[in-house]
Amino acid sequence: MAGLGKQDKERIARAALARLMEPQDSVGLALVRALGAVDALGVATGELGAGPNLEREISAVLVDGGGASSWAGLPASVRRWAPRVRDLAPDRDLETMTRLGGRLIIPGDALWPEQLEALGLQEPLCLWWRGREQPLPGSGHSIALVGSRDSTNYGASVTGDLAYGLAQRGFTVVSGGAYGIDAHAHRGALSGGVASVPTIAVMAGGVDRFYPSGNEDLLRAVATQGAVISEVPPGSAPTRYRFLQRNRIIAALASVTVVVEARWRSGALNTAHHAESIGRVVAAVPGSIHSANSAGCHRLLRDGGAVCVTDVGEIAELAGGIGERLSEDRDTGAAVHDGLSLEDLILLDALPLRSASSVEKLTVVAGLSADAVRAGLGRLGLLGLASSERGAWKRSKTS
Amino acid sequence: MAGLGKQDKERIARAALARLMEPQDSVGLALVRALGAVDALGVATGELGAGPNLEREISAVLVDGGGASSWAGLPASVRRWAPRVRDLAPDRDLETMTRLGGRLIIPGDALWPEQLEALGLQEPLCLWWRGREQPLPGSGHSIALVGSRDSTNYGASVTGDLAYGLAQRGFTVVSGGAYGIDAHAHRGALSGGVASVPTIAVMAGGVDRFYPSGNEDLLRAVATQGAVISEVPPGSAPTRYRFLQRNRIIAALASVTVVVEARWRSGALNTAHHAESIGRVVAAVPGSIHSANSAGCHRLLRDGGAVCVTDVGEIAELAGGIGERLSEDRDTGAAVHDGLSLEDLILLDALPLRSASSVEKLTVVAGLSADAVRAGLGRLGLLGLASSERGAWKRSKTS
C-alpha cells in the first residue's frame, strides 16, 4: 500500500474487513477499535500475530461497548474469518463502486454521517454508497419511514402523503428499499423532495444489485436523486440476518423512526427497537383495529415506546426541527364558551333561544342570585352571546 | 321530620339540596361537609343563621378539597340559592322516584358506589336511580366506554364488539346514554351482559325523562336490566354545564375510561380528563388518521395520557381484574428462529433451500469456522431447521 495516504489505507483495510466479517461482529469491531483497521486486517487474516495483551484489550472494548462479557478468544474468531480470506479483493470492490458511480466512505471521512456514532461499537465499518458525492444529511434532517412489505391501501396512501410532505419540508426520508411501505416512502420523497438528498435506501445486500428486482427502477431513481447505501460489500446476498442488522443503520441515520404499518411481528418493529435502544424517537401511525397491518403499530403505542403521529407536522415536531408546528393549528378553533366561568356557562345554558326571559326567571332556572345573573348577562352581552330586549334576555343566534 | 331515622332525614335534605344547587357547587358541598346535609339545608334556605366560624370552616374545606382559595362568602351563595327555595319539594321528588320504580341513594347507604369517594369534595350529593334495587358494581368491575354522538360505522362496530365482549366477561359498561358511541355501548352490553347490572347510563338531566328521545326504548331497557342514574333531580333539563359535570361521575364509577371515537374537540375528552385527574386509567381506541372521528383518540394517545387499546383483553388487563390476559395469546405464535444465537441465524441464512451444501462451502458463505458450522448444523438439525444427506446440508422445508 505504498504511496497511499493513511485514510486511503484505512479505507482499503475496511473494505477487506467488511467482506471478512458479518455486520455487528463484535469481536471484529473491537479488534478494529484496538488496532485500527490496517493492523486489525493483518490479525484477522493471520498475517500478524496476536498476544495476550491484545486479547485483554479486546475484552475491555467489548465490556465498554456493552457487548458480550465472555467470548471464545481471538483464535476462535480468526478461525471463523479464515474461510473468507482467499476471497478478499478490496481493490476490486472499490473499483466496482467507482464503475457504479459510487464510493466507499469510512469513519473520519468528511462525508461520513456523524449520527452513526450513536451505535457505539456497532457503528458500521464502512458504507458502500451509490449516488452523487455530496454530504449525507444529519439526523435532525432525516426521518425513517418503515413498515410492512404487504402494505394495505391505507398504508400506501399514508406513507406516500407523509413522505411527500416531509420531503417538501426539506427532510430526507430514510427507508429500506423493500416492497410496500419502504417503496411508497422512497417514491413519495422523490416526488416531493427539495433537499439535495431527498431519500436514502439502506440495503441489506450489496448495492451493486437493486434488490428486490421489482423495485429496480425505483432504486435506480433513488441512487440518481438520493443515495443507496449498504454496509456489506458488492455481491453480498441480502440474508435475513443482514436485514435485521441493516435496520440499526436506518434507525441511527434518522432522528425519528416512524412505523407506518406493521403486523404484530414485523421487521419494522426491529428497526423501532434499534431506534429506541440508541435513544432516538420512535413514532407509530395508528390505524383500524381490524387491520392486522396496524397491529404492530398499536403494539408499539401500547407498550409505551412509541409516540402516536397522524400528520407531517407532528413528525416534524418530534424531529425538534425544521418543520413548523403545523399540528397546533387545529387548536385555534376554540369555542367562545371555553373561556367562560362556571357561573356564566350555567347562565348561558339557562338563556332561552327564542322568547326572551326576565332576570327573575333566570335566577330560578340558573340557580344564581339576581346580582350574579345581571353581571353575567352583561359579560355574555359583551361577548355577543346574549342579547336583551326591553329588560328580557335571550341567547344570541351566534352562540 | 319527626319519626324518621337519621339517614332518612339526611336523604330528604340531600334531595332538597340537589334541587337548590348545581352539580359541583363547591361552596354548597363544603357547607354539607361542615354541617351535614340537614343543617346545611337550613343555612342554604336561610332558616338557620351562619356565623363567622362557619365561614372559616367552609374556607378550610374548600382549601382541603383543592377548590377555590377565594370565595365571595356564604351570604353571596345563599342569595344565589334563594330563587330556587320556593320550588323545593323533596318529598314529591322522592315519591316520583318510587313511582318510576327507582330511589334516591346517598353516601352512607349500602347501595352507594364507594368509588365515587375518589371525587373528594366533588362527590355527588346523591344519585337518583331508575332500575332494580341491587348493589351497583365496584370500579374494578366497571369500564366506561365513551365517544362522539356522530359515530362512524367503524366506531359503531368497535363499540358494539367491545361492549359485548366486556359484558360477556362480567364487566359493567358505563356510558352517558347519548346517541352514537354511548348508545352502541349500552346496546352491546345489554346483549352480552352476564353481570347483575350489565350497563349503567349516567344522565345529564333528570332520570324521569329518557333523553334523547330517540334513545327512549334503549334507555328503558337499560333501566330495566341495568341502571339509569343522575345527580340532578327529576325534571332537570340536561344543560351543557350538566353534561360536563356528569362526565366526572362516569369517570369515577369505572376503573378504566375508554374513548372509542372522538373528534379533536369532544365531550368524551372531558370525561377522559376527569378520569385522569382522579388517577383512573384512560384508554383510547386508534383508528384511521383520515377519520376526524378518531382525531380526539389520537390526541389522547399522543399527549401521553391514554393507553392504546385494540381489544377486550387489553381493556380487561387495564382493569387489573377479572378478565384473563387474552391479548397475550398473540405472542405464543413466536417463530422458531427467535431463540437462535446470532451465529446460528447466520448459518440458517447460509443454508441452501434446494441442493445441499458442504460444510466447507458453508464456512465461506456464513463466515464461520468449520467447527462453528458443524456445531451449528447440529443444533439446527435438532430444531428441525436443517437436514443432512451424505454429509451435505440444506434447510428443512418447515423453516
Side-chain angles (χ1 to χ4, degrees), chain A residues 219-231:
Chain A
L219 289 168
R220 196 174 303 281
V222 171
T224 307
Q225 296 179 242
V228 175
I229 62 177
S230 176
E231 66 178 317

PDB file of all heavy atoms in Angstrom, chain A residues 219-231:
ATOM      1  N   LEU A 219     -35.226   2.039  -7.233  1.00  0.00           N
ATOM      2  CA  LEU A 219     -33.935   2.155  -6.552  1.00  0.00           C
ATOM      3  C   LEU A 219     -32.910   2.861  -7.428  1.00  0.00           C
ATOM      4  O   LEU A 219     -32.035   3.571  -6.927  1.00  0.00           O
ATOM      5  CB  LEU A 219     -33.446   0.776  -6.106  1.00  0.00           C
ATOM      6  CG  LEU A 219     -34.270   0.206  -4.940  1.00  0.00           C
ATOM      7  CD1 LEU A 219     -33.964  -1.273  -4.723  1.00  0.00           C
ATOM      8  CD2 LEU A 219     -34.006   0.990  -3.652  1.00  0.00           C
ATOM      9  N   ARG A 220     -33.054   2.691  -8.745  1.00  0.00           N
ATOM     10  CA  ARG A 220     -32.160   3.414  -9.647  1.00  0.00           C
ATOM     11  C   ARG A 220     -32.416   4.920  -9.514  1.00  0.00           C
ATOM     12  O   ARG A 220     -31.494   5.729  -9.470  1.00  0.00           O
ATOM     13  CB  ARG A 220     -32.382   2.939 -11.095  1.00  0.00           C
ATOM     14  CG  ARG A 220     -31.263   3.345 -12.051  1.00  0.00           C
ATOM     15  CD  ARG A 220     -31.456   2.725 -13.437  1.00  0.00           C
ATOM     16  NE  ARG A 220     -31.550   1.267 -13.422  1.00  0.00           N
ATOM     17  CZ  ARG A 220     -30.500   0.439 -13.330  1.00  0.00           C
ATOM     18  NH1 ARG A 220     -29.281   0.937 -13.257  1.00  0.00           N
ATOM     19  NH2 ARG A 220     -30.676  -0.867 -13.319  1.00  0.00           N
ATOM     20  N   ALA A 221     -33.687   5.279  -9.412  1.00  0.00           N
ATOM     21  CA  ALA A 221     -34.028   6.705  -9.234  1.00  0.00           C
ATOM     22  C   ALA A 221     -33.527   7.209  -7.882  1.00  0.00           C
ATOM     23  O   ALA A 221     -33.042   8.344  -7.761  1.00  0.00           O
ATOM     24  CB  ALA A 221     -35.543   6.897  -9.340  1.00  0.00           C
ATOM     25  N   VAL A 222     -33.633   6.359  -6.840  1.00  0.00           N
ATOM     26  CA  VAL A 222     -33.128   6.758  -5.520  1.00  0.00           C
ATOM     27  C   VAL A 222     -31.621   7.000  -5.596  1.00  0.00           C
ATOM     28  O   VAL A 222     -31.108   7.973  -5.041  1.00  0.00           O
ATOM     29  CB  VAL A 222     -33.464   5.687  -4.446  1.00  0.00           C
ATOM     30  CG1 VAL A 222     -32.756   6.005  -3.128  1.00  0.00           C
ATOM     31  CG2 VAL A 222     -34.967   5.595  -4.221  1.00  0.00           C
ATOM     32  N   ALA A 223     -30.914   6.117  -6.321  1.00  0.00           N
ATOM     33  CA  ALA A 223     -29.463   6.268  -6.447  1.00  0.00           C
ATOM     34  C   ALA A 223     -29.116   7.555  -7.213  1.00  0.00           C
ATOM     35  O   ALA A 223     -28.147   8.243  -6.887  1.00  0.00           O
ATOM     36  CB  ALA A 223     -28.863   5.062  -7.149  1.00  0.00           C
ATOM     37  N   THR A 224     -29.922   7.878  -8.218  1.00  0.00           N
ATOM     38  CA  THR A 224     -29.647   9.065  -9.036  1.00  0.00           C
ATOM     39  C   THR A 224     -29.939  10.354  -8.268  1.00  0.00           C
ATOM     40  O   THR A 224     -29.139  11.282  -8.253  1.00  0.00           O
ATOM     41  CB  THR A 224     -30.513   9.030 -10.321  1.00  0.00           C
ATOM     42  OG1 THR A 224     -30.307   7.770 -10.957  1.00  0.00           O
ATOM     43  CG2 THR A 224     -30.134  10.163 -11.255  1.00  0.00           C
ATOM     44  N   GLN A 225     -31.108  10.401  -7.605  1.00  0.00           N
ATOM     45  CA  GLN A 225     -31.510  11.641  -6.932  1.00  0.00           C
ATOM     46  C   GLN A 225     -31.108  11.661  -5.464  1.00  0.00           C
ATOM     47  O   GLN A 225     -31.032  12.709  -4.855  1.00  0.00           O
ATOM     48  CB  GLN A 225     -33.032  11.819  -7.028  1.00  0.00           C
ATOM     49  CG  GLN A 225     -33.540  11.987  -8.449  1.00  0.00           C
ATOM     50  CD  GLN A 225     -35.043  12.125  -8.473  1.00  0.00           C
ATOM     51  OE1 GLN A 225     -35.742  11.299  -9.053  1.00  0.00           O
ATOM     52  NE2 GLN A 225     -35.565  13.152  -7.803  1.00  0.00           N
ATOM     53  N   GLY A 226     -30.939  10.481  -4.880  1.00  0.00           N
ATOM     54  CA  GLY A 226     -30.615  10.413  -3.462  1.00  0.00           C
ATOM     55  C   GLY A 226     -29.407   9.537  -3.230  1.00  0.00           C
ATOM     56  O   GLY A 226     -28.357   9.780  -3.810  1.00  0.00           O
ATOM     57  N   ALA A 227     -29.576   8.525  -2.394  1.00  0.00           N
ATOM     58  CA  ALA A 227     -28.444   7.635  -2.117  1.00  0.00           C
ATOM     59  C   ALA A 227     -28.934   6.234  -1.801  1.00  0.00           C
ATOM     60  O   ALA A 227     -29.965   6.048  -1.139  1.00  0.00           O
ATOM     61  CB  ALA A 227     -27.644   8.170  -0.925  1.00  0.00           C
ATOM     62  N   VAL A 228     -28.186   5.237  -2.304  1.00  0.00           N
ATOM     63  CA  VAL A 228     -28.424   3.840  -1.958  1.00  0.00           C
ATOM     64  C   VAL A 228     -27.163   3.357  -1.252  1.00  0.00           C
ATOM     65  O   VAL A 228     -26.077   3.422  -1.828  1.00  0.00           O
ATOM     66  CB  VAL A 228     -28.711   2.987  -3.212  1.00  0.00           C
ATOM     67  CG1 VAL A 228     -28.830   1.514  -2.850  1.00  0.00           C
ATOM     68  CG2 VAL A 228     -29.989   3.469  -3.908  1.00  0.00           C
ATOM     69  N   ILE A 229     -27.297   2.922  -0.015  1.00  0.00           N
ATOM     70  CA  ILE A 229     -26.097   2.577   0.758  1.00  0.00           C
ATOM     71  C   ILE A 229     -26.241   1.206   1.413  1.00  0.00           C
ATOM     72  O   ILE A 229     -27.347   0.679   1.571  1.00  0.00           O
ATOM     73  CB  ILE A 229     -25.785   3.630   1.853  1.00  0.00           C
ATOM     74  CG1 ILE A 229     -26.934   3.700   2.854  1.00  0.00           C
ATOM     75  CG2 ILE A 229     -25.523   4.989   1.246  1.00  0.00           C
ATOM     76  CD1 ILE A 229     -26.667   4.661   4.013  1.00  0.00           C
ATOM     77  N   SER A 230     -25.090   0.632   1.788  1.00  0.00           N
ATOM     78  CA  SER A 230     -25.085  -0.648   2.482  1.00  0.00           C
ATOM     79  C   SER A 230     -23.763  -0.809   3.215  1.00  0.00           C
ATOM     80  O   SER A 230     -22.748  -0.258   2.790  1.00  0.00           O
ATOM     81  CB  SER A 230     -25.271  -1.802   1.491  1.00  0.00           C
ATOM     82  OG  SER A 230     -25.164  -3.038   2.181  1.00  0.00           O
ATOM     83  N   GLU A 231     -23.772  -1.562   4.297  1.00  0.00           N
ATOM     84  CA  GLU A 231     -22.510  -1.806   4.989  1.00  0.00           C
ATOM     85  C   GLU A 231     -21.831  -3.070   4.467  1.00  0.00           C
ATOM     86  O   GLU A 231     -20.690  -3.336   4.819  1.00  0.00           O
ATOM     87  CB  GLU A 231     -22.705  -1.906   6.507  1.00  0.00           C
ATOM     88  CG  GLU A 231     -23.523  -3.100   6.960  1.00  0.00           C
ATOM     89  CD  GLU A 231     -23.663  -3.185   8.483  1.00  0.00           C
ATOM     90  OE1 GLU A 231     -22.668  -2.972   9.204  1.00  0.00           O
ATOM     91  OE2 GLU A 231     -24.780  -3.479   8.943  1.00  0.00           O
TER      92      GLU A 231
END
